[in-house]
Amino acid sequence: VKVLRALRPFDASTCSHTTFRGQYDGYRAAEGVDPNSQTATFAAIRLMIDNWRWNGVPFYLRSGKALSCRTTQIVVQFQAPPAVLFERKRPLQGNRLVIQIQPAEGIQLQFHTKVPDAGMDLCFTDLNVVFRREFSNDIPDAYQRLLLDAAMGDASLFARADEVELAWSVIDPIIQGWSTDNAPPLASYETGDWGPEASTEWMRDQGREWFDVCPVLTLPHG
């Protein structure tokens, strides 16, 4: 609740450059959908938390339907070092921490290491933990845990009413902004893609890149 209260508010004038929306091809042809529907099936937003701890740190959220895969993950992108001791043809990226929520629950730390006997060449190295690989016992589904807690009267993992109301107070101005002339354009993308290509350009205009789904975190077949 404290974090939601510290979020920088949106309005119609800021939605045009702090949010992005898209719609997959074929959505308007679905049964019961308006052929001229402006409903977004892909969204990305930039959040700023105005407190001392997260001052100046942007938080990017993206979600969509009909994408290439179903996954939920948190990516913590560390700042790139201001000084590089090794010669590089490309700029040195910062290390990153990937927390995979589903479907392959796990944690991955990506950091630079020097390639042995390769001059001063650097490469990304992974420290990877996949829960289903490390723990032999069955991991319960998230809803199994919630249903059990509900039956036992334990509400510690459920959202409080004031948290839900504050969360909607963040989203409502975005929805209202998308219904005005200042709304960002509705970009299109093909079913099975990783969202609109224009969302990549939207991030690059801010000097950043989206993190692609890492195949290391996916579960092996079978």
Side-chain angles (χ1 to χ4, degrees):
V1 167
K2 287 183 179 180
V3 171
L4 291 174
R5 287 175 176 165
L7 285 177
R8 187 175 302 173
F10 290 91
D11 55 41
S13 62
T14 60
C15 284
S16 60
H17 61 274
T18 57
T19 67
F20 182 95
R21 60 180 186 149
Q23 185 185 87
Y24 68 83
D25 293 340
Y27 171 76
R28 297 178 181 178
E31 183 179 356
V33 176
D34 185 348
N36 298 314
S37 174
Q38 295 295 303
T39 299
T41 61
F42 177 94
I45 62 177
R46 185 187 70 207
L47 298 172
M48 302 297 293
I49 302 177
D50 291 330
N51 61 17
W52 67 268
R53 185 184 300 277
W54 299 110
N55 182 38
V57 178
F59 286 77
Y60 291 91
L61 308 179
R62 65 172 172 174
S63 181
K65 296 178 179 293
L67 301 181
S68 59
C69 64
R70 178 178 175 271
T71 180
T72 302
Q73 58 187 199
I74 302 170
V75 180
V76 180
Q77 178 70 53
F78 297 102
Q79 294 186 11
V84 180
L85 301 180
F86 304 95
E87 294 183 1
R88 297 279 294 176
K89 296 181 180 179
R90 294 178 296 179
L92 188 66
Q93 299 182 31
N95 301 336
R96 63 175 65 98
L97 175 67
V98 182
I99 304 172
Q100 186 77 0
I101 307 299
Q102 63 173 347
E105 296 88 346
I107 300 175
Q108 181 187 46
L109 179 63
Q110 297 182 342
F111 58 96
H112 286 90
T113 56
K114 179 183 176 299
V115 179
D117 298 327
M120 304 302 285
D121 194 17
L122 299 177
C123 69
F124 257 135
T125 304
D126 300 328
L127 289 179
N128 186 33
V129 175
V130 179
F131 287 2
R132 295 187 185 276
R133 185 177 60 198
E134 301 295 333
F135 305 103
S136 57
N137 57 318
D138 292 334
I139 299 177
D141 183 84
Y143 288 106
Q144 290 178 273
R145 174 64 184 273
L146 291 177
L147 289 172
L148 178 62
D149 286 350
M152 299 179 63
D154 183 358
S156 58
L157 294 180
F158 292 82
R160 292 190 339 220
D162 55 348
E163 178 186 353
V164 174
E165 292 176 357
L166 283 170
W168 275 109
S169 70
V170 175
I171 299 300
D172 283 342
I174 298 176
I175 297 176
Q176 295 171 4
W178 285 359
S179 63
T180 67
D181 294 337
N182 288 325
L186 187 65
S188 63
Y189 62 99
E190 295 183 4
T191 301
D193 281 353
W194 193 236
E197 181 63 29
S199 69
T200 302
E201 297 301 323
W202 179 73
M203 283 291 283
R204 288 175 179 169
D205 289 343
Q206 303 175 62
R208 304 181 184 277
E209 296 279 350
W210 287 120
F211 173 73
D212 293 330
V213 176
C214 184
V216 177
L217 290 175
T218 58
L219 290 174
H221 294 291

